Amino acid sequence: MLTSNSAWSARLSVQNTARRTAALINALSAPEAQAGARTAEAPAATEATEAAEATSSPYATSTTAGATADALAVADVLRAYGEPDPLAISAEDIAEMREAADALREVFAAGSAGAAAAVLNALLQRTTGTLRLTSHSDGSPWHPHLDSHDDAPWGEWLLASSCLALTVLVWDRQCPPGGVCASPSCRAVFVTLNSGPARRYCSRRCATRERVAAHRRARG
């Protein structure tokens, strides 16, 4: 069983933070990205994405109902990745998080380490603060932050924490940190942490659907 510190360390790991980033991008994206987000690496993220599909109406923040649904979907993802309640997420927070998610999607869409690094360098220079260590007033093990303070707005936190994790992944692996699902009906982002053939789909479901569609087209 994990000790308290080791459980916190797992939650705050670079890999887990990157997966959380992908799950939040998908929850804040168009419906097809939500529908396709099924990551084998993070069962918690899958549950959160399913909840997002059930409750969220992306890009509907012009109405109170839409903003509330988006906030519920994002809160589900945050809880799945260990954020404690209460989670107060406003319509303004959702708008800022969506802007951050759109910027971060470009990192996943990069076709090479160099392209991913260029996007991250621009984001780091333009949007993040000074690197610092925090323990959240002894509420967690010491870990790095790039946002301005521990109570920074959700959008600032998402962009800063994601940039930090994705930067370390590019540094460590010398390749893009993930990709965008090749299924035209999906376009969810995913994190790639294993070596091997380049991954094209966010999930087995998308890969199977595209294979079946290709087979049907070949048969005429």
Side-chain angles (χ1 to χ4, degrees), residues 16-211:
N16 201 55
T17 301
R19 291 186 181 114
R20 183 187 65 198
T21 294
L24 286 170
I25 291 172
N26 293 333
L28 289 157
S29 294
E32 58 270 20
Q34 288 189 2
R38 294 290 187 276
T39 54
E41 302 91 350
T46 299
E47 294 171 7
T49 304
E50 289 171 347
E53 291 172 16
T55 61
S56 179
S57 178
Y59 300 141
T61 53
S62 60
T63 66
T64 301
T68 300
D70 289 343
L72 289 172
V74 167
D76 283 337
V77 173
L78 292 172
R79 289 189 190 99
Y81 281 88
E83 288 295 322
D85 283 313
L87 292 171
I89 304 173
S90 67
E92 183 179 358
D93 290 325
I94 290 297
E96 292 176 356
M97 292 180 81
R98 177 165 288 127
E99 184 177 351
D102 288 344
L104 291 164
R105 176 176 280 274
E106 294 184 27
V107 182
F108 289 87
S112 67
V119 175
L120 284 166
N121 281 339
L123 291 175
L124 288 165
Q125 183 175 10
R126 188 173 72 245
T127 63
T128 60
T130 303
L131 183 66
R132 61 187 175 84
L133 287 166
T134 182
S135 66
H136 295 282
S137 300
D138 295 325
S140 74
W142 290 97
H143 60 284
H145 266 236
L146 278 175
D147 47 10
S148 56
H149 55 87
D150 287 354
D151 295 320
W154 283 111
E156 180 184 342
W157 165 84
L158 172 58
L159 191 58
S161 63
S162 300
C163 281
L164 181 58
L166 298 176
T167 294
V168 173
L169 285 183
V170 174
W171 172 19
D172 184 54
R173 301 178 64 247
Q174 296 297 302
C175 63
V180 180
C181 186
S183 172
S185 62
C186 177
R187 310 306 292 167
V189 303
F190 56 85
V191 176
T192 305
L193 296 175
N194 300 319
S195 58
R199 180 175 169 182
R200 299 187 62 222
Y201 299 102
C202 70
S203 65
R204 291 180 181 177
R205 187 177 75 167
C206 278
T208 299
R209 183 175 63 243
E210 292 305 313
R211 281 199 299 270

